[in-house]
Amino acid sequence: MIHKATPIRTWFVVAVAVLLMGTGVGAQTHEEIASRTGLAPDLFVELKVSVDGSDLVVFAVYVTERTFESKISQALREWLLPYIGKNALYVNPAVKEVVGTFPFRPDLVSLEQEGKPAFFPNLSDWIEITPGFLTGGSQVNPAGASYGVGSEGILVAGDRIDPAQPFTLVYQGTKARLEISKKAPSPPAAAAPREATQVPLLAQVTDVGAELTSGEFSSTRVASLLGLDPSLVGTISVGSRGEELRLVVVQVEEGIRQGALRPDLLATLEPFIGTGAVMIWALSPSGAAFSPWQMWIKQTGTNYVFFSTSSFVELTEGFLRSGRVEARSVLAGLVLLPSGVRRDAPFGVFYGSAGVTLPNVPSQ
């Protein structure tokens, strides 16, 4: 399922505090909050605590692939994606009043699980989203000052909890139990071979990873290597924290049959040729974080972001869930375009803030 991006900064459905602390609090059941946010009921909890005369609500969401099938903003998506598989919780405390001193203290959060010692996070276990989150800072609710203030952070638990077993979030003695369902994300809807295609992906190049992570990384050079019309090929290079991620972007149209792609790869791509699909190869000279969930599409001023695994097809194992591409290796997969995107008109393929337009018209 694909939804158009909205301008909301980060908070789920403007702010869950609107649901929990607005008129008719008693009517806002866990299931109703799930319906409003699009979150599966097993992925989140809400704690209500009275602190210094203020009613503080702490909303926490377990970060997994299913989290991204909710009504989550593009900005928050980019924050949370790197923490899939790290037993992380998105934490959004809020109060209805606009206050100068925010009564939330991350040092009072703990996690409990039977058979494990209680986990009392230190500052290094938290990722600050809202500036000042760790020191009581807050921001006015994106819905307006009448809805109060809140803040956001990410708690990374790592191996301190086992998500296969129930665990409890504790704040100042108030507890909420999380029991993460073992339900897997929805399988891709497209009828296509599910076996991962193994690299090498090119008929005449043994080590694709080495070839594409050394020397010039341009659409012209890559198109030449793949034996494809340059209009079908784009490149994206992203640098972060001293790492370089390189993405090869190929529009899966009729012309790919005349290139240098291996026959087994072409056989896998056959059902997708001309249907509105883009092939992505992720590489890195030294290793880099990678997640296809950071990809989005833009056409004629409309942004499309991805909320379901049905938007992707793995061509190599780990493309969807590994979270990282190792040095000189290749992760390959398909991004399936939404029906709202016209294939006969240019569209942008983005990874974070970097992107390329297809069909690609190389500069003269």
Side-chain angles (χ1 to χ4, degrees):
M1 184 178 182
I2 301 171
H3 297 277
K4 295 181 181 180
T6 69
I8 295 172
R9 191 187 65 82
T10 53
W11 299 2
F12 277 98
V13 193
V14 183
V16 175
V18 174
L19 305 178
L20 299 180
M21 295 185 293
T23 303
V25 172
Q28 300 296 336
T29 67
H30 191 81
E31 290 71 22
E32 287 170 330
I33 295 169
S35 177
R36 288 285 300 274
T37 61
L39 283 165
D42 64 302
L43 293 182
F44 71 94
V45 291
E46 60 280 355
L47 294 84
K48 301 177 186 179
V49 185
S50 179
V51 181
D52 298 333
S54 296
D55 291 327
L56 173 70
V57 174
V58 180
F59 177 67
V61 181
Y62 184 77
V63 180
T64 184
E65 289 94 340
R66 289 190 291 126
T67 306
F68 299 92
E69 297 179 8
S70 67
K71 299 172 184 177
I72 186 173
S73 72
Q74 175 67 17
L76 183 55
R77 166 186 294 277
E78 293 178 5
W79 272 104
L80 298 184
L81 279 169
Y83 300 99
I84 293 176
K86 296 185 179 180
N87 287 334
L89 289 168
Y90 164 81
V91 178
N92 175 202
V95 295
K96 189 176 182 181
E97 299 82 9
V98 176
V99 293
T101 302
F102 194 54
F104 176 72
R105 292 177 52 185
D107 61 308
L108 298 180
V109 172
S110 62
L111 296 175
E112 297 178 353
Q113 188 170 53
E114 185 176 353
K116 284 181 172 285
F119 170 42
F120 296 93
N122 56 41
L123 290 181
S124 64
D125 297 312
W126 288 96
I127 306 299
E128 189 174 78
I129 299 178
T130 303
F133 171 85
L134 294 175
T135 55
S138 63
Q139 292 187 355
V140 173
N141 190 303
S146 62
Y147 292 109
V149 297
S151 63
E152 300 170 288
I154 303 167
L155 174 59
V156 183
D159 60 4
R160 272 72 65 94
I161 61 170
D162 177 4
Q165 303 298 325
F167 62 95
T168 300
L169 175 69
V170 184
Y171 186 76
Q172 285 194 327
T174 300
K175 300 183 178 183
R177 174 185 167 100
L178 278 151
E179 186 169 357
I180 309 302
S181 170
K182 297 180 177 62
K183 173 187 174 184
S186 303
R194 299 308 306 143
E195 297 81 4
T197 302
Q198 300 302 313
V199 291
L201 301 171
L202 296 176
Q204 304 301 322
V205 178
T206 301
D207 193 340
V208 176
E211 185 72 24
L212 292 176
T213 55
S214 60
E216 177 190 3
F217 187 63
S218 67
S219 59
T220 300
R221 176 173 179 257
V222 174
S224 177
L225 180 67
L226 273 57
L228 296 177
D229 186 320
S231 68
L232 297 177
V233 181
T235 55
I236 300 173
S237 180
V238 180
S240 176
R241 300 176 183 176
E243 299 178 336
E244 181 191 4
L245 174 66
R246 294 182 171 188
L247 300 178
V248 175
V249 182
V250 179
Q251 193 169 8
V252 182
E253 297 291 343
E254 292 290 335
I256 67 168
R257 293 193 176 98
Q258 283 71 55
L261 302 181
R262 285 173 58 91
D264 52 350
L265 175 58
L266 282 173
T268 302
L269 296 177
E270 184 65 35
F272 301 96
I273 294 175
T275 65
V278 175
M279 182 168 60
I280 306 295
W281 293 1
L283 316 98
S284 175
S286 58
F290 167 73
S291 172
W293 295 101
Q294 293 204 44
M295 306 201 72
W296 53 286
I297 306 298
K298 182 174 184 177
Q299 188 176 63
T300 60
T302 299
N303 298 342
Y304 300 86
V305 295
F306 301 99
F307 287 95
S308 171
T309 53
S310 63
S311 299
F312 306 101
V313 174
E314 285 195 326
L315 297 176
T316 60
E317 185 177 357
F319 174 82
L320 192 57
R321 297 180 177 87
S322 68
R324 186 172 182 83
V325 57
E326 299 303 329
R328 295 191 168 192
S329 64
V330 182
L331 292 177
L334 293 174
V335 174
L336 307 181
L337 300 183
S339 58
V341 177
R342 293 177 50 198
R343 290 191 303 112
D344 60 348
F347 59 89
V349 179
F350 286 81
Y351 187 89
S353 59
V356 65
T357 298
L358 294 176
N360 187 17
V361 182
S363 58
Q364 300 299 320

